[in-house]
Amino acid sequence: MMKNLLLLGASGSIGTQTVEVLRHLKDTEYAYTLSGFSVYRSIDFAERLISEFLPEFAAVVDPEAAKELENRLPPDVKTKVLSGREGLFYLCRNAECDLCVNGIVGIAGLEPTAELLSRGIDVALANKETIVSAGEQVMRLAREKHCRILPLDSEHSAIFQCLQGGNKAVRRIILTASGGPFFGMNWENLRTIKKEDALKHPSWKMGPKITVDSATLMNKGLEIIEAVRLFGLSEDRIDVLVHRESIIHSMIEYEDFSTIAQLGVPDMRVPIQYGLTYPNRTESPAKPLDLAALSRLSFYSPDPVTFKALTLARQAVRTGGTAPTVLNAANEVAVEKFLRDEIGFLEIADSVEDVLNRTEIISQPSLEDILLTDRKIREKKML
Ligand code: NDP
Ligand code: MG
């Protein structure tokens, strides 16, 4: 029997690369049937996906776009179009699936993840904001329901792969970071950065939100929190190492100082495919690694003073409770404002710091507390 896959955020960078992996795995023992997918409003893409994969459900969060897609589909197409955020929830509660890939961007991915874990379904998770904001709660849910969260973020997939021998005697995790497009710059240089500059990433082609996060290094800050939650190590045992070539995706140092690293070309289809075939492996659509052609790999320490998002993320996870939720929500709002040219590049981290300083933190929050905290930060327009 072929396994069923549910793909959330199908039209994004992670989503479209997952579709490429699905095509690549077709006719192999790891093939999946696409039982359902979601987009926000990319209905041209949705239409193509429906005609190629004939899924049972297609959820379109924007109701106008959902109506338009419904009108476009020929009458003989059996796919049910679900509309709005309710439609997305219906999809998560009802689509037949053995695995869900969650490639939604932002906190919008949290409730869908929780719905699927509640059904005992494994989630291959790219949506890091879920783990940052509600990591303890979703990890607990996965334990209770005996299902897995398989990390798709390249660094966390790397750590997950390095830990296959078990996580005993781990001394520290070394998260590698490309350093983003502004590596080596100081505040003076960063003051005049424009959106167009921040949207150019040196090694990865990704959606706009994570590309800006990579430029501020908030992405690495979020990934520190993600690693704390996924692998249960304290923040002070997670180091960041700038590695411009993005070949080593992360490393584990053991008590005896033996270090295990995972290497590969920077291509998200590798961690995505590993999530789909886990615990097995098969040839991927990416290129093999040619180290002789590369000849050298370089490493530097990050600059947590200029790129203070790193420091803020460490503080938030040390504080715990809803502090990472506040950090994440404030950052999402700030990045949206930056992308609308309403604030400057340095104001992203400044405003996150300001909101963190002004918000009361709830310790041991429930999932409802987290959703409420997130909403309050957005509604208060504290930035
Ligand atoms: P994109 O912006 O490229 O794609 C986002 C997807 O989510 C699209 O399908 C979009 O639909 C949908 N979407 C947007 N807003 C909402 C919403 N409010 N509710 C439901 N769906 C929504 O993002 P990426 O693929 O780059 O990133 C996705 C997640 O994966 C992020 O959390 C990111 O941090 C993480 N990640 C991404 C990596 C990458 O290489 N891209 C690497 C590691 C992690 P539509 O097209 O209709 O707007
Ligand atoms: Mg990453």
mmCIF file with all atom_site columns, all heavy atoms in Angstrom, residues 9-14 39-42 61 103-105 108 126-129 153 206-207 210 268, ligand 1:
data_model
loop_
_atom_site.group_PDB
_atom_site.id
_atom_site.type_symbol
_atom_site.label_atom_id
_atom_site.label_alt_id
_atom_site.label_comp_id
_atom_site.label_asym_id
_atom_site.label_entity_id
_atom_site.label_seq_id
_atom_site.pdbx_PDB_ins_code
_atom_site.Cartn_x
_atom_site.Cartn_y
_atom_site.Cartn_z
_atom_site.occupancy
_atom_site.B_iso_or_equiv
_atom_site.pdbx_formal_charge
_atom_site.auth_seq_id
_atom_site.auth_comp_id
_atom_site.auth_asym_id
_atom_site.auth_atom_id
_atom_site.pdbx_PDB_model_num
ATOM   1   N N   . GLY A 1 9   ? 1.348  24.239 2.988  1.00 0.00 ? 9   GLY A N   1
ATOM   2   C CA  . GLY A 1 9   ? 2.246  25.264 2.432  1.00 0.00 ? 9   GLY A CA  1
ATOM   3   C C   . GLY A 1 9   ? 2.871  24.774 1.138  1.00 0.00 ? 9   GLY A C   1
ATOM   4   O O   . GLY A 1 9   ? 4.049  24.996 0.873  1.00 0.00 ? 9   GLY A O   1
ATOM   5   N N   . ALA A 1 10  ? 2.048  24.112 0.306  1.00 0.00 ? 10  ALA A N   1
ATOM   6   C CA  . ALA A 1 10  ? 2.556  23.419 -0.886 1.00 0.00 ? 10  ALA A CA  1
ATOM   7   C C   . ALA A 1 10  ? 3.201  24.364 -1.903 1.00 0.00 ? 10  ALA A C   1
ATOM   8   O O   . ALA A 1 10  ? 4.098  23.963 -2.648 1.00 0.00 ? 10  ALA A O   1
ATOM   9   C CB  . ALA A 1 10  ? 1.405  22.663 -1.553 1.00 0.00 ? 10  ALA A CB  1
ATOM   10  N N   . SER A 1 11  ? 2.751  25.629 -1.942 1.00 0.00 ? 11  SER A N   1
ATOM   11  C CA  . SER A 1 11  ? 3.223  26.543 -2.982 1.00 0.00 ? 11  SER A CA  1
ATOM   12  C C   . SER A 1 11  ? 4.496  27.283 -2.601 1.00 0.00 ? 11  SER A C   1
ATOM   13  O O   . SER A 1 11  ? 5.032  28.050 -3.409 1.00 0.00 ? 11  SER A O   1
ATOM   14  C CB  . SER A 1 11  ? 2.116  27.565 -3.275 1.00 0.00 ? 11  SER A CB  1
ATOM   15  O OG  . SER A 1 11  ? 1.626  28.083 -2.032 1.00 0.00 ? 11  SER A OG  1
ATOM   16  N N   . GLY A 1 12  ? 5.012  27.075 -1.394 1.00 0.00 ? 12  GLY A N   1
ATOM   17  C CA  . GLY A 1 12  ? 6.206  27.810 -0.955 1.00 0.00 ? 12  GLY A CA  1
ATOM   18  C C   . GLY A 1 12  ? 7.496  27.130 -1.386 1.00 0.00 ? 12  GLY A C   1
ATOM   19  O O   . GLY A 1 12  ? 7.480  26.148 -2.138 1.00 0.00 ? 12  GLY A O   1
ATOM   20  N N   . SER A 1 13  ? 8.594  27.654 -0.884 1.00 0.00 ? 13  SER A N   1
ATOM   21  C CA  . SER A 1 13  ? 9.909  27.103 -1.221 1.00 0.00 ? 13  SER A CA  1
ATOM   22  C C   . SER A 1 13  ? 10.024 25.651 -0.736 1.00 0.00 ? 13  SER A C   1
ATOM   23  O O   . SER A 1 13  ? 10.402 24.759 -1.502 1.00 0.00 ? 13  SER A O   1
ATOM   24  C CB  . SER A 1 13  ? 10.985 28.008 -0.595 1.00 0.00 ? 13  SER A CB  1
ATOM   25  O OG  . SER A 1 13  ? 12.191 27.339 -0.446 1.00 0.00 ? 13  SER A OG  1
ATOM   26  N N   . ILE A 1 14  ? 9.651  25.395 0.514  1.00 0.00 ? 14  ILE A N   1
ATOM   27  C CA  . ILE A 1 14  ? 9.684  24.021 1.039  1.00 0.00 ? 14  ILE A CA  1
ATOM   28  C C   . ILE A 1 14  ? 8.646  23.163 0.310  1.00 0.00 ? 14  ILE A C   1
ATOM   29  O O   . ILE A 1 14  ? 8.922  22.036 -0.102 1.00 0.00 ? 14  ILE A O   1
ATOM   30  C CB  . ILE A 1 14  ? 9.401  24.018 2.565  1.00 0.00 ? 14  ILE A CB  1
ATOM   31  C CG1 . ILE A 1 14  ? 10.561 24.660 3.324  1.00 0.00 ? 14  ILE A CG1 1
ATOM   32  C CG2 . ILE A 1 14  ? 9.091  22.615 3.089  1.00 0.00 ? 14  ILE A CG2 1
ATOM   33  C CD1 . ILE A 1 14  ? 11.844 23.892 3.351  1.00 0.00 ? 14  ILE A CD1 1
ATOM   34  N N   . VAL A 1 39  ? -2.605 25.842 0.407  1.00 0.00 ? 39  VAL A N   1
ATOM   35  C CA  . VAL A 1 39  ? -1.879 27.057 0.017  1.00 0.00 ? 39  VAL A CA  1
ATOM   36  C C   . VAL A 1 39  ? -2.576 28.210 0.733  1.00 0.00 ? 39  VAL A C   1
ATOM   37  O O   . VAL A 1 39  ? -3.665 28.024 1.293  1.00 0.00 ? 39  VAL A O   1
ATOM   38  C CB  . VAL A 1 39  ? -1.920 27.311 -1.518 1.00 0.00 ? 39  VAL A CB  1
ATOM   39  C CG1 . VAL A 1 39  ? -1.261 26.173 -2.282 1.00 0.00 ? 39  VAL A CG1 1
ATOM   40  C CG2 . VAL A 1 39  ? -3.357 27.517 -2.025 1.00 0.00 ? 39  VAL A CG2 1
ATOM   41  N N   . TYR A 1 40  ? -1.964 29.382 0.697  1.00 0.00 ? 40  TYR A N   1
ATOM   42  C CA  . TYR A 1 40  ? -2.678 30.547 1.229  1.00 0.00 ? 40  TYR A CA  1
ATOM   43  C C   . TYR A 1 40  ? -3.579 31.113 0.125  1.00 0.00 ? 40  TYR A C   1
ATOM   44  O O   . TYR A 1 40  ? -4.785 31.128 0.240  1.00 0.00 ? 40  TYR A O   1
ATOM   45  C CB  . TYR A 1 40  ? -1.701 31.595 1.770  1.00 0.00 ? 40  TYR A CB  1
ATOM   46  C CG  . TYR A 1 40  ? -2.438 32.682 2.507  1.00 0.00 ? 40  TYR A CG  1
ATOM   47  C CD1 . TYR A 1 40  ? -2.859 32.480 3.806  1.00 0.00 ? 40  TYR A CD1 1
ATOM   48  C CD2 . TYR A 1 40  ? -2.747 33.880 1.885  1.00 0.00 ? 40  TYR A CD2 1
ATOM   49  C CE1 . TYR A 1 40  ? -3.588 33.455 4.481  1.00 0.00 ? 40  TYR A CE1 1
ATOM   50  C CE2 . TYR A 1 40  ? -3.467 34.864 2.541  1.00 0.00 ? 40  TYR A CE2 1
ATOM   51  C CZ  . TYR A 1 40  ? -3.883 34.650 3.837  1.00 0.00 ? 40  TYR A CZ  1
ATOM   52  O OH  . TYR A 1 40  ? -4.608 35.596 4.492  1.00 0.00 ? 40  TYR A OH  1
ATOM   53  N N   . ARG A 1 41  ? -2.960 31.518 -0.988 1.00 0.00 ? 41  ARG A N   1
ATOM   54  C CA  . ARG A 1 41  ? -3.777 32.030 -2.096 1.00 0.00 ? 41  ARG A CA  1
ATOM   55  C C   . ARG A 1 41  ? -3.201 31.701 -3.480 1.00 0.00 ? 41  ARG A C   1
ATOM   56  O O   . ARG A 1 41  ? -3.712 32.198 -4.487 1.00 0.00 ? 41  ARG A O   1
ATOM   57  C CB  . ARG A 1 41  ? -4.000 33.536 -1.966 1.00 0.00 ? 41  ARG A CB  1
ATOM   58  C CG  . ARG A 1 41  ? -2.769 34.401 -2.008 1.00 0.00 ? 41  ARG A CG  1
ATOM   59  C CD  . ARG A 1 41  ? -3.145 35.842 -2.256 1.00 0.00 ? 41  ARG A CD  1
ATOM   60  N NE  . ARG A 1 41  ? -3.700 36.464 -1.072 1.00 0.00 ? 41  ARG A NE  1
ATOM   61  C CZ  . ARG A 1 41  ? -2.972 37.103 -0.151 1.00 0.00 ? 41  ARG A CZ  1
ATOM   62  N NH1 . ARG A 1 41  ? -1.660 37.177 -0.278 1.00 0.00 ? 41  ARG A NH1 1
ATOM   63  N NH2 . ARG A 1 41  ? -3.548 37.667 0.899  1.00 0.00 ? 41  ARG A NH2 1
ATOM   64  N N   . SER A 1 42  ? -2.137 30.869 -3.528 1.00 0.00 ? 42  SER A N   1
ATOM   65  C CA  . SER A 1 42  ? -1.498 30.577 -4.833 1.00 0.00 ? 42  SER A CA  1
ATOM   66  C C   . SER A 1 42  ? -2.306 29.541 -5.612 1.00 0.00 ? 42  SER A C   1
ATOM   67  O O   . SER A 1 42  ? -1.956 28.362 -5.662 1.00 0.00 ? 42  SER A O   1
ATOM   68  C CB  . SER A 1 42  ? -0.075 30.045 -4.612 1.00 0.00 ? 42  SER A CB  1
ATOM   69  O OG  . SER A 1 42  ? 0.719  31.021 -4.017 1.00 0.00 ? 42  SER A OG  1
ATOM   70  N N   . VAL A 1 61  ? -6.555 29.050 2.021  1.00 0.00 ? 61  VAL A N   1
ATOM   71  C CA  . VAL A 1 61  ? -6.897 29.821 3.223  1.00 0.00 ? 61  VAL A CA  1
ATOM   72  C C   . VAL A 1 61  ? -7.649 31.112 2.871  1.00 0.00 ? 61  VAL A C   1
ATOM   73  O O   . VAL A 1 61  ? -8.583 31.498 3.553  1.00 0.00 ? 61  VAL A O   1
ATOM   74  C CB  . VAL A 1 61  ? -5.625 30.094 4.068  1.00 0.00 ? 61  VAL A CB  1
ATOM   75  C CG1 . VAL A 1 61  ? -5.954 30.957 5.277  1.00 0.00 ? 61  VAL A CG1 1
ATOM   76  C CG2 . VAL A 1 61  ? -4.988 28.772 4.512  1.00 0.00 ? 61  VAL A CG2 1
ATOM   77  N N   . GLY A 1 103 ? 5.092  23.002 5.610  1.00 0.00 ? 103 GLY A N   1
ATOM   78  C CA  . GLY A 1 103 ? 5.938  24.056 5.045  1.00 0.00 ? 103 GLY A CA  1
ATOM   79  C C   . GLY A 1 103 ? 5.224  25.395 5.072  1.00 0.00 ? 103 GLY A C   1
ATOM   80  O O   . GLY A 1 103 ? 5.524  26.280 4.272  1.00 0.00 ? 103 GLY A O   1
ATOM   81  N N   . ILE A 1 104 ? 4.272  25.548 6.014  1.00 0.00 ? 104 ILE A N   1
ATOM   82  C CA  . ILE A 1 104 ? 3.618  26.860 6.196  1.00 0.00 ? 104 ILE A CA  1
ATOM   83  C C   . ILE A 1 104 ? 4.642  27.784 6.843  1.00 0.00 ? 104 ILE A C   1
ATOM   84  O O   . ILE A 1 104 ? 5.469  27.349 7.645  1.00 0.00 ? 104 ILE A O   1
ATOM   85  C CB  . ILE A 1 104 ? 2.358  26.714 7.089  1.00 0.00 ? 104 ILE A CB  1
ATOM   86  C CG1 . ILE A 1 104 ? 1.268  25.948 6.328  1.00 0.00 ? 104 ILE A CG1 1
ATOM   87  C CG2 . ILE A 1 104 ? 1.822  28.078 7.552  1.00 0.00 ? 104 ILE A CG2 1
ATOM   88  C CD1 . ILE A 1 104 ? -0.001 25.689 7.130  1.00 0.00 ? 104 ILE A CD1 1
ATOM   89  N N   . VAL A 1 105 ? 4.570  29.081 6.513  1.00 0.00 ? 105 VAL A N   1
ATOM   90  C CA  . VAL A 1 105 ? 5.484  30.029 7.156  1.00 0.00 ? 105 VAL A CA  1
ATOM   91  C C   . VAL A 1 105 ? 4.780  30.703 8.331  1.00 0.00 ? 105 VAL A C   1
ATOM   92  O O   . VAL A 1 105 ? 3.601  31.036 8.252  1.00 0.00 ? 105 VAL A O   1
ATOM   93  C CB  . VAL A 1 105 ? 6.039  31.067 6.135  1.00 0.00 ? 105 VAL A CB  1
ATOM   94  C CG1 . VAL A 1 105 ? 4.933  31.889 5.483  1.00 0.00 ? 105 VAL A CG1 1
ATOM   95  C CG2 . VAL A 1 105 ? 7.071  31.980 6.787  1.00 0.00 ? 105 VAL A CG2 1
ATOM   96  N N   . ALA A 1 108 ? 1.140  30.613 11.832 1.00 0.00 ? 108 ALA A N   1
ATOM   97  C CA  . ALA A 1 108 ? -0.046 29.999 11.204 1.00 0.00 ? 108 ALA A CA  1
ATOM   98  C C   . ALA A 1 108 ? 0.116  28.481 11.103 1.00 0.00 ? 108 ALA A C   1
ATOM   99  O O   . ALA A 1 108 ? -0.874 27.759 10.963 1.00 0.00 ? 108 ALA A O   1
ATOM   100 C CB  . ALA A 1 108 ? -0.271 30.602 9.818  1.00 0.00 ? 108 ALA A CB  1
ATOM   101 N N   . ALA A 1 126 ? 9.053  21.754 8.730  1.00 0.00 ? 126 ALA A N   1
ATOM   102 C CA  . ALA A 1 126 ? 9.960  22.831 8.323  1.00 0.00 ? 126 ALA A CA  1
ATOM   103 C C   . ALA A 1 126 ? 9.594  24.098 9.102  1.00 0.00 ? 126 ALA A C   1
ATOM   104 O O   . ALA A 1 126 ? 10.451 24.918 9.411  1.00 0.00 ? 126 ALA A O   1
ATOM   105 C CB  . ALA A 1 126 ? 9.827  23.091 6.827  1.00 0.00 ? 126 ALA A CB  1
ATOM   106 N N   . ASN A 1 127 ? 8.318  24.211 9.432  1.00 0.00 ? 127 ASN A N   1
ATOM   107 C CA  . ASN A 1 127 ? 7.748  25.388 10.081 1.00 0.00 ? 127 ASN A CA  1
ATOM   108 C C   . ASN A 1 127 ? 8.341  25.603 11.485 1.00 0.00 ? 127 ASN A C   1
ATOM   109 O O   . ASN A 1 127 ? 7.783  25.177 12.487 1.00 0.00 ? 127 ASN A O   1
ATOM   110 C CB  . ASN A 1 127 ? 6.215  25.203 10.142 1.00 0.00 ? 127 ASN A CB  1
ATOM   111 C CG  . ASN A 1 127 ? 5.501  26.296 10.882 1.00 0.00 ? 127 ASN A CG  1
ATOM   112 O OD1 . ASN A 1 127 ? 4.862  26.050 11.894 1.00 0.00 ? 127 ASN A OD1 1
ATOM   113 N ND2 . ASN A 1 127 ? 5.596  27.514 10.405 1.00 0.00 ? 127 ASN A ND2 1
ATOM   114 N N   . LYS A 1 128 ? 9.509  26.265 11.524 1.00 0.00 ? 128 LYS A N   1
ATOM   115 C CA  . LYS A 1 128 ? 10.247 26.360 12.795 1.00 0.00 ? 128 LYS A CA  1
ATOM   116 C C   . LYS A 1 128 ? 9.524  27.220 13.828 1.00 0.00 ? 128 LYS A C   1
ATOM   117 O O   . LYS A 1 128 ? 9.718  27.053 15.025 1.00 0.00 ? 128 LYS A O   1
ATOM   118 C CB  . LYS A 1 128 ? 11.671 26.863 12.557 1.00 0.00 ? 128 LYS A CB  1
ATOM   119 C CG  . LYS A 1 128 ? 11.768 28.255 12.016 1.00 0.00 ? 128 LYS A CG  1
ATOM   120 C CD  . LYS A 1 128 ? 13.218 28.587 11.691 1.00 0.00 ? 128 LYS A CD  1
ATOM   121 C CE  . LYS A 1 128 ? 13.669 27.966 10.400 1.00 0.00 ? 128 LYS A CE  1
ATOM   122 N NZ  . LYS A 1 128 ? 15.042 28.150 10.046 1.00 0.00 ? 128 LYS A NZ  1
ATOM   123 N N   . GLU A 1 129 ? 8.671  28.164 13.355 1.00 0.00 ? 129 GLU A N   1
ATOM   124 C CA  . GLU A 1 129 ? 7.982  29.040 14.303 1.00 0.00 ? 129 GLU A CA  1
ATOM   125 C C   . GLU A 1 129 ? 7.120  28.228 15.279 1.00 0.00 ? 129 GLU A C   1
ATOM   126 O O   . GLU A 1 129 ? 6.915  28.645 16.416 1.00 0.00 ? 129 GLU A O   1
ATOM   127 C CB  . GLU A 1 129 ? 7.132  30.072 13.544 1.00 0.00 ? 129 GLU A CB  1
ATOM   128 C CG  . GLU A 1 129 ? 7.958  31.085 12.714 1.00 0.00 ? 129 GLU A CG  1
ATOM   129 C CD  . GLU A 1 129 ? 8.307  30.604 11.313 1.00 0.00 ? 129 GLU A CD  1
ATOM   130 O OE1 . GLU A 1 129 ? 7.997  29.435 10.984 1.00 0.00 ? 129 GLU A OE1 1
ATOM   131 O OE2 . GLU A 1 129 ? 8.893  31.395 10.537 1.00 0.00 ? 129 GLU A OE2 1
ATOM   132 N N   . ASP A 1 153 ? 14.323 21.341 8.806  1.00 0.00 ? 153 ASP A N   1
ATOM   133 C CA  . ASP A 1 153 ? 15.311 22.424 8.790  1.00 0.00 ? 153 ASP A CA  1
ATOM   134 C C   . ASP A 1 153 ? 16.679 21.745 8.621  1.00 0.00 ? 153 ASP A C   1
ATOM   135 O O   . ASP A 1 153 ? 16.962 20.752 9.305  1.00 0.00 ? 153 ASP A O   1
ATOM   136 C CB  . ASP A 1 153 ? 15.230 23.166 10.138 1.00 0.00 ? 153 ASP A CB  1
ATOM   137 C CG  . ASP A 1 153 ? 15.636 24.620 10.001 1.00 0.00 ? 153 ASP A CG  1
ATOM   138 O OD1 . ASP A 1 153 ? 16.215 24.976 8.960  1.00 0.00 ? 153 ASP A OD1 1
ATOM   139 O OD2 . ASP A 1 153 ? 15.384 25.391 10.946 1.00 0.00 ? 153 ASP A OD2 1
ATOM   140 N N   . MET A 1 206 ? 15.012 30.801 -0.643 1.00 0.00 ? 206 MET A N   1
ATOM   141 C CA  . MET A 1 206 ? 13.943 30.502 0.322  1.00 0.00 ? 206 MET A CA  1
ATOM   142 C C   . MET A 1 206 ? 12.863 31.573 0.244  1.00 0.00 ? 206 MET A C   1
ATOM   143 O O   . MET A 1 206 ? 13.018 32.575 -0.441 1.00 0.00 ? 206 MET A O   1
ATOM   144 C CB  . MET A 1 206 ? 14.532 30.494 1.743  1.00 0.00 ? 206 MET A CB  1
ATOM   145 C CG  . MET A 1 206 ? 15.772 29.637 1.878  1.00 0.00 ? 206 MET A CG  1
ATOM   146 S SD  . MET A 1 206 ? 16.485 29.689 3.526  1.00 0.00 ? 206 MET A SD  1
ATOM   147 C CE  . MET A 1 206 ? 17.235 31.317 3.568  1.00 0.00 ? 206 MET A CE  1
ATOM   148 N N   . GLY A 1 207 ? 11.786 31.375 1.007  1.00 0.00 ? 207 GLY A N   1
ATOM   149 C CA  . GLY A 1 207 ? 10.723 32.381 1.076  1.00 0.00 ? 207 GLY A CA  1
ATOM   150 C C   . GLY A 1 207 ? 11.235 33.671 1.712  1.00 0.00 ? 207 GLY A C   1
ATOM   151 O O   . GLY A 1 207 ? 12.285 33.677 2.356  1.00 0.00 ? 207 GLY A O   1
ATOM   152 N N   . ILE A 1 210 ? 11.972 33.900 5.917  1.00 0.00 ? 210 ILE A N   1
ATOM   153 C CA  . ILE A 1 210 ? 13.187 33.237 6.413  1.00 0.00 ? 210 ILE A CA  1
ATOM   154 C C   . ILE A 1 210 ? 14.445 33.874 5.797  1.00 0.00 ? 210 ILE A C   1
ATOM   155 O O   . ILE A 1 210 ? 15.501 33.900 6.428  1.00 0.00 ? 210 ILE A O   1
ATOM   156 C CB  . ILE A 1 210 ? 13.148 31.703 6.184  1.00 0.00 ? 210 ILE A CB  1
ATOM   157 C CG1 . ILE A 1 210 ? 14.380 31.033 6.800  1.00 0.00 ? 210 ILE A CG1 1
ATOM   158 C CG2 . ILE A 1 210 ? 12.971 31.310 4.759  1.00 0.00 ? 210 ILE A CG2 1
ATOM   159 C CD1 . ILE A 1 210 ? 14.410 29.529 6.731  1.00 0.00 ? 210 ILE A CD1 1
ATOM   160 N N   . MET A 1 268 ? 17.729 21.787 -0.117 1.00 0.00 ? 268 MET A N   1
ATOM   161 C CA  . MET A 1 268 ? 16.715 21.377 0.869  1.00 0.00 ? 268 MET A CA  1
ATOM   162 C C   . MET A 1 268 ? 16.023 20.061 0.508  1.00 0.00 ? 268 MET A C   1
ATOM   163 O O   . MET A 1 268 ? 15.370 19.449 1.339  1.00 0.00 ? 268 MET A O   1
ATOM   164 C CB  . MET A 1 268 ? 15.653 22.469 1.037  1.00 0.00 ? 268 MET A CB  1
ATOM   165 C CG  . MET A 1 268 ? 16.066 23.643 1.892  1.00 0.00 ? 268 MET A CG  1
ATOM   166 S SD  . MET A 1 268 ? 16.720 23.174 3.511  1.00 0.00 ? 268 MET A SD  1
ATOM   167 C CE  . MET A 1 268 ? 15.268 22.503 4.303  1.00 0.00 ? 268 MET A CE  1
HETATM 168 P P1  . NDP B 2 .   ? 7.364  30.499 1.622  1.00 0.00 ? 1   NDP B P1  1
HETATM 169 O O1  . NDP B 2 .   ? 7.000  31.900 1.923  1.00 0.00 ? 1   NDP B O1  1
HETATM 170 O O2  . NDP B 2 .   ? 8.119  30.211 0.378  1.00 0.00 ? 1   NDP B O2  1
HETATM 171 O O3  . NDP B 2 .   ? 6.025  29.579 1.586  1.00 0.00 ? 1   NDP B O3  1
HETATM 172 C C1  . NDP B 2 .   ? 5.063  29.660 2.583  1.00 0.00 ? 1   NDP B C1  1
HETATM 173 C C2  . NDP B 2 .   ? 3.893  28.728 2.306  1.00 0.00 ? 1   NDP B C2  1
HETATM 174 O O4  . NDP B 2 .   ? 2.905  28.898 3.327  1.00 0.00 ? 1   NDP B O4  1
HETATM 175 C C3  . NDP B 2 .   ? 3.174  29.016 0.999  1.00 0.00 ? 1   NDP B C3  1
HETATM 176 O O5  . NDP B 2 .   ? 2.598  27.824 0.510  1.00 0.00 ? 1   NDP B O5  1
HETATM 177 C C4  . NDP B 2 .   ? 2.066  29.997 1.423  1.00 0.00 ? 1   NDP B C4  1
HETATM 178 O O6  . NDP B 2 .   ? 0.956  29.990 0.518  1.00 0.00 ? 1   NDP B O6  1
HETATM 179 C C5  . NDP B 2 .   ? 1.684  29.406 2.759  1.00 0.00 ? 1   NDP B C5  1
HETATM 180 N N1  . NDP B 2 .   ? 1.178  30.409 3.708  1.00 0.00 ? 1   NDP B N1  1
HETATM 181 C C6  . NDP B 2 .   ? 1.599  31.689 3.876  1.00 0.00 ? 1   NDP B C6  1
HETATM 182 N N2  . NDP B 2 .   ? 0.919  32.300 4.864  1.00 0.00 ? 1   NDP B N2  1
HETATM 183 C C7  . NDP B 2 .   ? 0.031  31.388 5.330  1.00 0.00 ? 1   NDP B C7  1
HETATM 184 C C8  . NDP B 2 .   ? -0.982 31.404 6.337  1.00 0.00 ? 1   NDP B C8  1
HETATM 185 N N3  . NDP B 2 .   ? -1.215 32.504 7.070  1.00 0.00 ? 1   NDP B N3  1
HETATM 186 N N4  . NDP B 2 .   ? -1.706 30.287 6.544  1.00 0.00 ? 1   NDP B N4  1
HETATM 187 C C9  . NDP B 2 .   ? -1.496 29.175 5.823  1.00 0.00 ? 1   NDP B C9  1
HETATM 188 N N5  . NDP B 2 .   ? -0.554 29.090 4.836  1.00 0.00 ? 1   NDP B N5  1
HETATM 189 C C10 . NDP B 2 .   ? 0.191  30.176 4.607  1.00 0.00 ? 1   NDP B C10 1
HETATM 190 O O7  . NDP B 2 .   ? 8.143  29.945 2.898  1.00 0.00 ? 1   NDP B O7  1
HETATM 191 P P2  . NDP B 2 .   ? 9.306  28.850 2.952  1.00 0.00 ? 1   NDP B P2  1
HETATM 192 O O8  . NDP B 2 .   ? 8.898  27.643 2.183  1.00 0.00 ? 1   NDP B O8  1
HETATM 193 O O9  . NDP B 2 .   ? 10.607 29.475 2.687  1.00 0.00 ? 1   NDP B O9  1
HETATM 194 O O10 . NDP B 2 .   ? 9.315  28.495 4.518  1.00 0.00 ? 1   NDP B O10 1
HETATM 195 C C11 . NDP B 2 .   ? 8.306  27.705 5.112  1.00 0.00 ? 1   NDP B C11 1
HETATM 196 C C12 . NDP B 2 .   ? 8.733  27.347 6.538  1.00 0.00 ? 1   NDP B C12 1
HETATM 197 O O11 . NDP B 2 .   ? 9.886  26.508 6.455  1.00 0.00 ? 1   NDP B O11 1
HETATM 198 C C13 . NDP B 2 .   ? 9.160  28.554 7.380  1.00 0.00 ? 1   NDP B C13 1
HETATM 199 O O12 . NDP B 2 .   ? 8.797  28.320 8.702  1.00 0.00 ? 1   NDP B O12 1
HETATM 200 C C14 . NDP B 2 .   ? 10.686 28.559 7.263  1.00 0.00 ? 1   NDP B C14 1
HETATM 201 O O13 . NDP B 2 .   ? 11.309 29.125 8.387  1.00 0.00 ? 1   NDP B O13 1
HETATM 202 C C15 . NDP B 2 .   ? 10.966 27.066 7.189  1.00 0.00 ? 1   NDP B C15 1
HETATM 203 N N6  . NDP B 2 .   ? 12.208 26.723 6.505  1.00 0.00 ? 1   NDP B N6  1
HETATM 204 C C16 . NDP B 2 .   ? 12.368 27.041 5.187  1.00 0.00 ? 1   NDP B C16 1
HETATM 205 C C17 . NDP B 2 .   ? 13.533 26.735 4.515  1.00 0.00 ? 1   NDP B C17 1
HETATM 206 C C18 . NDP B 2 .   ? 13.690 27.027 3.049  1.00 0.00 ? 1   NDP B C18 1
HETATM 207 O O14 . NDP B 2 .   ? 14.705 26.627 2.460  1.00 0.00 ? 1   NDP B O14 1
HETATM 208 N N7  . NDP B 2 .   ? 12.758 27.704 2.423  1.00 0.00 ? 1   NDP B N7  1
HETATM 209 C C19 . NDP B 2 .   ? 14.648 26.078 5.213  1.00 0.00 ? 1   NDP B C19 1
HETATM 210 C C20 . NDP B 2 .   ? 14.360 25.740 6.586  1.00 0.00 ? 1   NDP B C20 1
HETATM 211 C C21 . NDP B 2 .   ? 13.184 26.066 7.190  1.00 0.00 ? 1   NDP B C21 1
HETATM 212 P P3  . NDP B 2 .   ? 0.855  31.070 -0.716 1.00 0.00 ? 1   NDP B P3  1
HETATM 213 O O15 . NDP B 2 .   ? 1.929  30.692 -1.701 1.00 0.00 ? 1   NDP B O15 1
HETATM 214 O O16 . NDP B 2 .   ? -0.495 30.842 -1.259 1.00 0.00 ? 1   NDP B O16 1
HETATM 215 O O17 . NDP B 2 .   ? 1.069  32.425 -0.118 1.00 0.00 ? 1   NDP B O17 1
#
